[in-house]
Amino acid sequence: MPKDVAVIGVGQSAFVRGYQGSIRELAFEAFREAMQDAAISVKDVGASVVCSAPEYDKQRTPSGLIAEYLGLNPQPTFIVENVCSSSTSGIRVAYGLIKSGLHDVVVVLGFQKMSEISSADSQERMGRGADIMFESPFGTLMPAYYAMHARGHFAKYGTTEEDLALIRVKAASYGVLNEKAVYRKAVTLEQAMEAGPVCSPLKVFDCCANADGASCVIMASADKAKEICKEPVYILGLGAATAPMNVTGRTTFAGLDCAKLAADEAYEMAGVGPQDIDVAEVHDCFTIAEMMAYEMLGFAEPGKGPELIRNRETYKDGKIPVNVDGGLLSKGHPIGATGGSQVRTIVLQLRNKAGAIQVPGAEIGLVHNIGGVGIYGNVIIFGR
Amino acid sequence: MGFERFGSKSFTSQAKVAEFVDYLDKGEVAYTKCRTCSQAYFPPRADCANCLGNDMEWVAIKGNGTIVTFTHTMYAPTGFEAEAPYTIVVAEFGDIKVLGRMNKSVPVESLSVGMAVKVEVVKLPDGQVTYEFLPA
Ligand SMILES: [Zn+2]
């Protein structure tokens, strides 16, 4: 179980609709919180990794601007983009920078101001998040792809719309408790089932909310962490994989291969298995995404994911608590910031500082962050 | 040039596989197959990722396929709003899978995974050309 790289500080802005400030100011909110959490100064930072899906930004090459505003000149900075999984890919890059010995302390800053561009522009870009030659000309869109995975799961395993609705009910029950969440209302099973259709079988409450937000994760070498941090949380394992962007190249619509591969790699590196995970943050951009995550991560056998949620095993007091911060469904999904926010939740859990959503005695946590509809999969396992 | 005629709205004009559109004009939905290693590709490719070759032949899709998955979308990205709602389908034809839309007259309630479909070329009024699925 390697303990070479640690998280020494985490921060997150509130996730909101229509942030009333610029992207640099949004980024600074998460940065300030993480720097205060780590109790370090900018002189201690060796490099920054800025994570954003730049199609939402008017600012060209935002890493330069963000590094300047954070006070991180003249240190090197890099932009990392893997759409919705940008910031966990940024963490993988930072892990390499630290493990290689190039830098002792690296700031990973994820942000997205989705409202920076108009709703029409946003819809236009959404259509191009697929193979633009052979998929986009049919008017494909993100919810349609996850809906086709829901259909695939239903057909193979008999999963129902109610099973998916139960996932939303759980997420909303925790979103109520998260003061940084964009959606803070409870959702009943009836509300979820009666909501209007989006892409069959997915309905309104099966889909996460767009949001503006920023996250910040400060990482350090183990030696540096021991020197400056009272409560380091270590990266025990990390895995990453890809699958064909064009879904006609996929092997299944009942799961995401990239997530399974990333999970297997992370478990092997950490020397732990699914049964050892005390708390998990999974990429629930749609309810079906969480359902598939249960199975790809090994929390349930393939096809048994619905039983987990029916038996409330993924609630805080269940066998494997999942997304007890409200998940993307209620917290919101500001693309480049999402993975860093998931990491923050796990770090707070492992420090026993998660407040109302604390899973008692949590020692090993997992983050599962997916880019696109299973194009990029990142899984990271954390421990004290 | 040529690929901009694919679909109700194309995002690409130049492609080595623009012949795909010529096949559509002839009423055929075609894929490429590597002459060196026999790997079949849909979407069609000019280059073989299996053997690094580029000696490809075009083969028309024949016969029936089966539905792998589908969804009926109420929303559409910019440029497609007037076409919504529509049904997007992935269907399997032997070695290859094809993504496209179901013919608009086919109710989504009548579809199921595993159902047999055929693929047909559609010529749009504005000179664009595409394909769609129909129950076999
Ligand atoms: Zn070949």
Side-chain angles (χ1 to χ4, degrees):
Chain A
M1 186 181 287
K3 281 189 165 185
D4 301 326
V5 177
V7 175
I8 61 167
V10 288
Q12 187 200 313
S13 75
F15 285 179
V16 298
R17 240 179 257 288
Y19 178 69
Q20 297 295 303
S22 64
I23 58 170
R24 69 191 80 185
E25 292 155 352
L26 178 59
F28 204 86
E29 291 196 22
F31 178 69
R32 176 191 287 123
E33 195 175 286
M35 289 293 281
Q36 288 172 347
D37 182 39
I40 60 171
S41 83
V42 289
K43 288 189 218 66
D44 299 316
V45 176
S48 60
V49 179
V50 176
C51 313
S52 160
E55 71 267 23
Y56 290 99
D57 300 328
K58 288 180 179 157
Q59 175 70 51
R60 190 177 168 206
T61 190
S63 49
L65 186 279
I66 298 295
E68 176 199 324
Y69 197 75
L70 303 184
L72 293 178
N73 294 142
Q75 296 97 317
T77 186
F78 312 93
I79 188 122
V80 171
E81 193 271 340
N82 266 346
V83 279
C84 324
S85 60
S86 294
S87 47
T88 49
S89 291
I91 284 170
R92 189 175 174 87
V93 168
Y95 187 95
L97 291 173
I98 293 167
K99 181 87 194 272
S100 68
L102 273 176
H103 299 291
D104 273 344
V105 177
V106 177
V107 165
V108 180
L109 191 296
F111 78 91
Q112 212 76 65
K113 191 178 176 197
M114 298 181 78
S115 65
E116 184 86 335
I117 57 175
S118 72
S119 182
D121 281 349
S122 168
Q123 282 304 312
E124 197 272 333
R125 282 156 179 74
M126 295 284 255
R128 288 189 281 123
D131 174 351
I132 60 160
M133 280 180 70
F134 291 99
E135 294 182 299
S136 302
F138 292 101
T140 58
L141 59 169
M142 285 302 130
Y145 286 105
Y146 267 107
M148 288 196 286
H149 283 79
R151 180 67 61 202
H153 205 275
F154 287 17
K156 188 164 181 186
Y157 300 122
T159 311
T160 66
E161 292 184 35
E162 186 168 312
D163 293 329
L164 299 185
L166 288 172
I167 287 176
R168 181 55 199 252
V169 171
K170 171 176 71 72
S173 75
Y174 295 119
V176 169
L177 302 172
N178 187 342
E179 60 186 21
K180 296 201 181 206
V182 69
Y183 192 90
R184 301 202 55 198
K185 285 182 275 194
V187 175
T188 65
L189 184 59
E190 294 67 34
Q191 283 174 311
M193 290 300 289
E194 285 163 17
V198 177
C199 298
S200 68
L202 300 182
K203 302 180 285 297
V204 170
F205 281 119
D206 289 303
C207 310
C208 70
N210 285 353
D212 297 342
S215 65
C216 186
V217 177
I218 303 178
M219 294 161 58
S221 63
D223 288 347
K224 188 79 180 172
K226 281 176 198 133
E227 183 190 320
I228 62 176
C229 180
K230 283 201 284 286
E231 298 176 291
V233 168
Y234 292 93
I235 292 182
L236 307 181
L238 63 180
T242 59
M245 184 177 216
N246 190 308
V247 293
T248 60
R250 304 285 179 87
T251 61
T252 177
F253 282 88
L256 298 177
D257 287 337
C258 70
K260 172 85 170 73
L261 291 169
D264 291 348
E265 195 175 287
Y267 285 134
E268 190 183 343
M269 181 172 167
V272 302
Q275 70 285 352
D276 300 314
I277 305 301
D278 298 314
V279 56
E281 280 284 297
V282 311
H283 194 88
D284 59 335
C285 49
F286 297 91
T287 49
I288 180 61
E290 178 166 324
M291 183 66 80
M292 291 191 293
Y294 294 163
E295 300 171 8
M296 301 298 101
L297 295 170
F299 298 156
E301 295 291 311
K304 303 290 188 194
E307 291 177 21
L308 270 192
I309 188 66
R310 285 176 206 155
N311 298 330
R312 298 174 62 95
E313 296 288 9
T314 50
Y315 275 77
K316 187 163 76 74
D317 48 2
K319 193 172 72 183
I320 170 66
V322 173
N323 292 354
V324 293
D325 62 355
L328 284 54
L329 286 166
S330 280
K331 195 170 55 174
H333 180 23
I335 314 295
T338 292
S341 166
Q342 296 177 299
V343 170
R344 172 182 173 270
T345 294
I346 291 300
V347 166
L348 294 179
Q349 287 281 349
L350 300 187
R351 287 182 189 163
N352 197 26
K353 297 271 170 58
I357 59 165
Q358 180 66 46
V359 173
E363 288 188 358
I364 297 182
L366 178 148
V367 167
H368 155 281
N369 187 201
I370 301 295
V373 188
I375 308 169
Y376 318 111
N378 292 326
V379 173
I380 311 178
I381 297 169
F382 297 87
R384 288 184 295 192
Chain B
M1 290 292 283
F3 204 81
E4 71 282 352
R5 286 185 51 235
F6 176 49
S8 52
K9 180 182 173 185
S10 178
F11 299 87
T12 308
S13 57
Q14 291 166 321
K16 288 183 184 173
V17 291
E19 236 180 305
F20 181 69
V21 175
D22 301 334
Y23 279 95
L24 290 176
D25 280 334
K26 287 190 278 184
E28 292 182 322
V29 181
Y31 60 99
T32 56
K33 190 168 180 182
C34 178
R35 285 199 176 95
T36 309
C37 74
S38 300
Q39 181 74 43
Y41 291 108
F42 192 94
R45 296 173 53 116
D47 308 291
C48 182
N50 190 41
C51 73
L52 303 182
N54 62 359
D55 185 12
M56 310 294 264
E57 63 178 327
W58 287 89
V59 185
I61 294 174
K62 298 235 163 54
N64 296 337
T66 54
I67 293 181
V68 177
T69 190
F70 63 95
T71 182
H72 187 66
T73 181
M74 307 307 289
Y75 296 91
T78 301
F80 298 90
E81 303 92 326
E83 301 169 23
Y86 46 85
T87 303
I88 300 168
V89 173
V90 175
E92 197 160 26
F93 293 81
D95 289 349
I96 56 165
K97 291 200 266 303
V98 180
L99 181 144
R101 283 194 206 162
M102 186 55 75
N103 175 285
K104 253 202 143 138
S105 70
V106 181
V108 65
E109 296 75 23
S110 70
L111 303 182
S112 60
V113 170
M115 186 179 140
V117 290
K118 57 185 175 176
V119 62
E120 285 192 356
V121 169
V122 180
K123 293 180 177 170
L124 302 170
D126 57 1
Q128 295 291 105
V129 61
T130 186
Y131 59 82
E132 67 181 14
F133 299 110
L134 286 157

